């Protein structure tokens, strides 16, 4: 199941076009254009098999003015990554059936096309070896659930500096 | 006058949910995310939680019937449910999930059955109480939703 959190949850908060323009100019972000010449806003892909956690992380990211595409599996995330032109971050749950967040992280970092995309892992369990493994594989950060607004602020601030 | 009575009623229901340990601070974090763009966000997330938790509890019950003493399987399912409880601040349910997992670790099947029955009770009570709370909230209108219970 894919939830593109655009209805009422699109990146620029409340669909305020001027706020979006101001944010782009203040952050000095170079925004790619699509094939039709229209600017493509940066997107965060949120991956979690839990519908509750997808809703929560989407809302948290929306508050930070990100466009969010939320999906329920690593497989679906990879499909989106193949077609979405401007992904600024992937935030994924660690423990998911079939493909874990760690598996997804590895696939992203092994791809010449995707490896520059920051990947943040989330988990409800504080397992030091798991955290170390993810960071060593190239994860940008590792967040313990439930994720808080301060966690999102920290990682989104870091993304702006990328 | 009627409007402020409903507001007081909603605030009182919410306070009792916290005082009796059914909910913790995480629930406030969810309410914080509610805004004009998503005016029913809290209720929607709670609704998702009960869809999720009902399904997970059915899975656990079936696993306990069809896979007796498969403590590893029981634990994996319960871990998912615990995560879900934690995400919405369902504190008593989360604690019961923790208790179940500890008993599972001891490979105590009867203890797991008892714990699971407790969990089902907590689930039912929480659902009832939250349904009442949201019913009053809907009647009271949007002004009530962002308030933290006093003393929290």
């Amino acid at each position: 199941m894919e939830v593109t959190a655009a209805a009422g949850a699109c990146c620029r908060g409340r669909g305020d076009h001027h706020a979006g323009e101001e944010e782009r100019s203040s952050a000095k972000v170079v925004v790619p254009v699509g094939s039709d010449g229209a600017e493509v806003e940066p997107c965060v892909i949120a991956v979690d098999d839990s519908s509750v956690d997808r809703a929560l992380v989407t809302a948290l990211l929306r508050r930070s003015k990100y466009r969010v595409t939320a999906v329920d599996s690593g497989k679906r995330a990879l499909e989106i990554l193949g077609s979405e032109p401007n992904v600024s971050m992937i935030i994924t749950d660690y423990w998911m059936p079939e493909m874990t967040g760690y598996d997804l992280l590895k696939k992203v970092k092994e791809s010449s096309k995707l490896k520059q995309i920051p990947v943040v892992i989330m988990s409800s369990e504080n397992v030091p070896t798991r955290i170390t493994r993810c960071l060593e594989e190239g994860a940008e950060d590792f967040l313990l659930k439930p994720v808080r607004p301060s966690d999102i602020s920290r990682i989104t601030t870091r993304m702006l500096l990328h | 006058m009627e409007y402020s009575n409903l507001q007081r009623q909603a605030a009182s229901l919410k306070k009792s949910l916290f005082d009796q340990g059914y909910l913790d601070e995480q629930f406030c974090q969810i309410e914080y995310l509610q805004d004009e763009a998503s005016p029913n966000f809290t209720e929607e997330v709670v609704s998702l939680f009960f869809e999720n938790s009902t399904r997970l509890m059915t899975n656990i019950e079936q696993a306990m019937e069809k896979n007796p003493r498969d403590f590893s399987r029981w634990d994996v399912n319960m871990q998912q449910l615990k995560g879900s409880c934690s995400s919405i601040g369902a504190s008593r349910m989360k604690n019961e999930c923790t208790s179940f997992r500890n008993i599972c670790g001891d490979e105590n099947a009867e203890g797991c059955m008892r714990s699971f029955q407790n969990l089902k009770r907590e689930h039912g009570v929480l659902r009832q109480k939250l349904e009442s709370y949201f019913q009053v909230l809907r009647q009271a209108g949007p002004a009530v939703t962002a308030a933290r219970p006093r003393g929290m």
Side-chain angles (χ1 to χ4, degrees), chain B residues 22 49-50 53-65 78 81 85 92-100 111-129:
Chain B
Y22 287 102
F49 167 74
F50 281 111
S53 57
T54 300
R55 178 179 51 81
L56 286 169
M57 289 179 73
T58 300
N59 289 348
I60 293 167
E61 195 156 33
Q62 286 175 352
M64 291 172 86
E65 283 169 16
M78 190 56 75
L81 179 59
C85 293
R92 281 169 70 143
M93 276 193 67
K94 183 182 73 174
N95 292 341
E96 195 60 53
C97 291
T98 300
S99 178
F100 181 99
C112 285
M113 301 287 180
R114 278 195 297 274
S115 178
F116 186 68
Q117 293 308 314
N118 289 341
L119 187 57
K120 280 171 79 171
R121 256 191 311 274
E122 292 291 345
H123 185 252
V125 169
L126 181 64
R127 187 201 288 262
Q128 233 175 1
K129 286 183 179 288

Side-chain angles (χ1 to χ4, degrees), chain A residues 42-60:
Chain A
C43 163
V44 174
I45 297 179
V47 192
D48 203 313
D49 61 317
S50 161
S51 55
V52 173
D53 290 337
R54 275 201 306 279
L56 291 177
V57 82
T58 297
L60 283 166

Side-chain angles (χ1 to χ4, degrees), chain A residues 3 20 22 28 32 35 45 56 65 73-74 89 92 96 104-105 107 111 127 129 134 142 144 149 153:
Chain A
V3 175
E22 284 166 12
K28 295 191 172 27
S35 54
I45 297 179
L56 291 177
K65 317 296 186 203
S73 70
M89 180 173 68
T92 176
M96 295 184 290
L104 175 61
L105 166 68
K107 285 197 183 293
S111 160
V127 180
T129 50
C134 289
F142 193 106
L144 289 176
S153 292

Side-chain angles (χ1 to χ4, degrees), chain B residues 18 23-31 42 46 88-89 133:
Chain B
F18 280 87
L23 295 177
D24 62 30
E25 166 66 20
Q26 177 61 18
F27 188 82
C28 297
Q29 295 290 331
I30 297 174
E31 289 192 311
T42 307
V46 168
I88 73 144
Y133 170 63

Side-chain angles (χ1 to χ4, degrees), chain A residues 7-9 13-14 49-53 55-56 59-60 62-63 95 97 124-125 130 145-149, chain B residues 25-26 29-30 32-38 41 45 48-49 52 55 76 79-80 83-84 86-88 101:
Chain A
R14 287 112 181 107
D49 61 317
S50 161
S51 55
V52 173
D53 290 337
L56 291 177
L60 283 166
R62 175 169 59 94
R63 274 195 169 244
W95 200 252
S124 56
E125 294 188 308
R130 181 184 293 180
K145 288 180 172 183
V147 175
R148 294 295 175 96
Chain B
E25 166 66 20
Q26 177 61 18
Q29 295 290 331
I30 297 174
Y32 162 78
L33 293 172
Q34 189 160 295
D35 58 17
E36 295 132 7
S38 302
F41 180 74
V45 170
L48 282 174
F49 167 74
N52 231 355
R55 178 179 51 81
V76 165
Q79 179 190 336
Q80 279 190 281
S84 215
S86 182
S87 292
I88 73 144
R101 295 187 74 198

